[in-house]
């Protein structure tokens, strides 16, 4: 079993998602597909074999000394694809890896001797909740995770339907991992204690109480056994019988449900007609595109996701729209590093709303407040009012025309709110344009309270002192045309709490806040710009902004033209900062010192039903390409765990 789990781990670490695509059922919500042929063109099997992580896993798989086995000895077809998928049902979750096989005999040798015999003869191995199936030149490995609370619920429903009696403490028995805390029965104080036992009348003094207790225990007719807790042996025996019966029923239901799931899985593998490729045209299109790796996500095939929409406003209108929601991404290695293209597909109605949200123009003054020594920043720019107007234009007529009275009423309430409330003003208060920047670590002198002990008076004296701490320097900048309102609230707060906020003229110092950050921060209001920072130098010397020299001008240009979101992060300096603080003696920092990158993430475009995002990771120049970077990173993570 341990070796089988190691194989599963290894396939995920390699990104192996390569097998017969028709063995992916149409009920899955997540699929990962990796083109092994393309990956090994970026980094050869021989290079992967040299990594410590590869040697360790292969040695464990075959129970042989390191270097005695290589990837090519596994029998896996590295010119094909391997697939992994996740499925979520009410009674179980399913993690499956589908591996393409080139040499079945070599592949089977990675299993234990007994398992090898079973697989050669039966082409099937079921060990606890692990199912291994050999189908043609493909191995399908499935790990099932059963949801005991589901079987408990079925059992309780059956008992209710049949009028059977449950044991008193049924919720503690074998899978009953819940208690209905809304039931008033569990809040009945008499279950836990009798209040009278703990009450002593105020009129009875201590001496009288002691006398009463002595008289009570000295009485000749007092019988300790009679007053002791009396156990009803017959009731205990009856409760044990109920528990045993409950276990039998629960086991029967669980076994029956598990058999149905396993048989359904095996039947599908024999005749995979209802597969995702055949029944989902979006997935079919995604799977046909060429990339090193692909990820496909249909969140609404996951019950854990859909349950959250049960009480969502207008859910009867919006849930059919979400049925068309898909997310998919393409990962490719190149000589500069790694590129990920992420797509969000929706219905055309929701697409109109998304496009309006992405149509806002960024306030260019925000970019002035990126410090010249910044190592990264992000801008968030949403046309909130435009998105609201499009939402109203698209969905309010649908509510008004509905045959369901609840929808019509919802439309009437919406129209009333829209008529009497200035939604444009509200949307302008909500911060639709935000900039966040990070400028590395800085030594900051912070206040500290210590206590001196006087040995003569045995008293402690409070002493105000300071200490030096390395603090990440961040700016949080908001463009808001009603920024002046914040001044009014600050003025009001200072009337109530003098030391909470200090007015320094051009900026405010916040000494305490609800978030308990632990160090002061500063807020300046410059016309329609709200500048929040923990670097006092920013509000003293840079109220008019910086010189825009932190990054290449092309980065600023991208930020200006960005739709909805753009971020740039330079990780090359981060590790140097940490080493300066903690020193090179820290093994973790020195190991990852050269594993750095510059990252760009942006929304590149949008269409009537799709939003497109891109992340480009430019890695250290020492690496031939992004694949070498990724495998070297995995190798160091493995070595750290030795």
């Amino acid at each position: 079993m341990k070796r089988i789990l190691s194989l599963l781990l290894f396939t995920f670490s390699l990104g192996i998602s390569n097998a017969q695509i028709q063995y992916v059922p149409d009920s899955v919500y997540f699929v990962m597909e990796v083109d092994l042929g393309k990956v090994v063109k970026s980094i050869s099997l021989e290079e992967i074999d040299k990594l410590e992580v590869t040697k360790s896993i292969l040695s464990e798989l075959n129970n042989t000394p390191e270097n005695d086995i290589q990837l090519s000895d596994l029998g896996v077809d590295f010119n094909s694809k391997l697939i992994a998928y996740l499925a979520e049902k009410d009674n179980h979750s399913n993690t499956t890896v589908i591996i393409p096989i080139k040499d079945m005999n070599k592949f089977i040798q990675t299993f234990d001797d007994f398992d090898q015999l079973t697989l050669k003869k039966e082409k099937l191995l079921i060990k606890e909740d692990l199912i291994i199936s050999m189908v043609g030149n493909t191995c399908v490995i499935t790990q099932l995770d059963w949801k005991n609370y589901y079987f408990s619920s079925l059992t309780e429903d059956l008992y209710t339907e049949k009028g059977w009696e449950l044991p008193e403490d049924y919720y503690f028995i074998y899978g009953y991992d819940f208690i209905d805390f809304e039931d008033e029965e569990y809040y009945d104080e008499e279950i836990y204690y009798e209040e009278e036992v703990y009450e002593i009348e105020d009129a009875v003094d201590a001496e009288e109480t002691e006398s009463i207790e002595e008289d009570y225990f000295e009485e000749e007719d007092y019988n300790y056994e009679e007053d002791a807790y009396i156990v009803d042996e017959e009731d205990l025996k009856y409760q044990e019988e109920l528990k045993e019966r409950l276990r039998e029923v629960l086991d029967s239901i669980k076994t029956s449900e598990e058999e149905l799931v396993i048989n359904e899985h095996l039947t599908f593998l024999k005749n995979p007609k209802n597969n995702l490729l055949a029944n989902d045209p979006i997935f079919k299109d995604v799977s046909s595109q060429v990339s090193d790796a692909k990820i496909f996500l249909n969140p609404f095939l996951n019950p854990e996701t859909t349950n959250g929409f049960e009480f969502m406003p207008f859910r009867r209108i919006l849930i059919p729209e979400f049925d068309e929601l898909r997310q998919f991404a393409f990962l490719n290695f190149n000589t500069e590093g790694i590129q990920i293209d992420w797509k969000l597909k929706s219905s055309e109605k929701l697409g109109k709303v998304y496009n309006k949200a992405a149509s806002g123009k960024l306030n260019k003054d925000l970019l002035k407040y990126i410090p010249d020594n910044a190592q990264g920043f992000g801008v968030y720019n949403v046309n909130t009012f435009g998105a609201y107007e499009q939402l109203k234009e698209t969905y309010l007529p649908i509510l008004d025309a509905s045959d369901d009275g609840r929808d019509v009423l919802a439309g009437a309430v919406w129209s009333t709110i829209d008529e009497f409330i200035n939604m444009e003003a509200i949307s302008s208060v909500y911060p639709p344009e935000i900039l966040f920047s990070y400028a590395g670590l800085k030594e900051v002198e912070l206040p500290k309270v210590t206590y001196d002990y006087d040995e003569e008076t045995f008293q402690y004296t409070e002493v105000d002192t300071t200490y030096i701490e390395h603090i990440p320097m961040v700016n949080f900048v908001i463009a808001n045309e009603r920024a002046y309102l914040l001044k009014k609230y600050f003025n009001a707060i200072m009337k109530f709490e003098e030391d909470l906020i200090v007015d320094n003229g051009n900026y405010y110092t916040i000494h305490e806040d609800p978030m308990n950050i632990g160090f002061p921060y500063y807020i300046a209001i410059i016309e329609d710009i709200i500048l929040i920072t923990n670097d006092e130098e920013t509000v003293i010397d840079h109220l008019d902004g910086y010189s825009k020299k932190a990054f290449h001008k092309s980065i600023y240009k991208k930020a200006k033209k960005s739709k909805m979101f753009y971020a740039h992060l330079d990780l090359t300096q981060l590790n140097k900062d940490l080493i300066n603080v903690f020193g090179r003696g820290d093994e973790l920092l020195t190991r990852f010192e050269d594993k750095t990158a510059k990252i760009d993430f942006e929304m590149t475009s949008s269409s009537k039903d799709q939003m497109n995002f891109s992340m480009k990771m430019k890695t250290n120049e020492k690496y031939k390409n992004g694949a070498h970077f990724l495998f070297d990173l995995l190798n160091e993570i493995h070595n750290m765990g030795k």
Side-chain angles (χ1 to χ4, degrees), residues 40 50 58 103 107 113 192 294 297 303 356 388 447 478 517 578 599 639:
V40 297
K50 294 176 183 178
L58 291 180
D103 188 323
F107 182 77
D113 292 342
Y192 299 106
K294 310 182 190 81
L297 177 65
K356 277 294 183 181
Y388 168 76
I478 303 170
I517 293 177
L578 294 175
I599 301 173
N639 291 338

Side-chain angles (χ1 to χ4, degrees), residues 193-208:
Y193 62 86
E194 296 289 345
E195 290 186 7
E196 292 77 12
V197 175
Y198 299 93
E199 291 180 356
I200 299 177
E201 294 295 334
D202 294 337
V204 181
D205 58 26
E207 293 181 0
E208 185 177 351

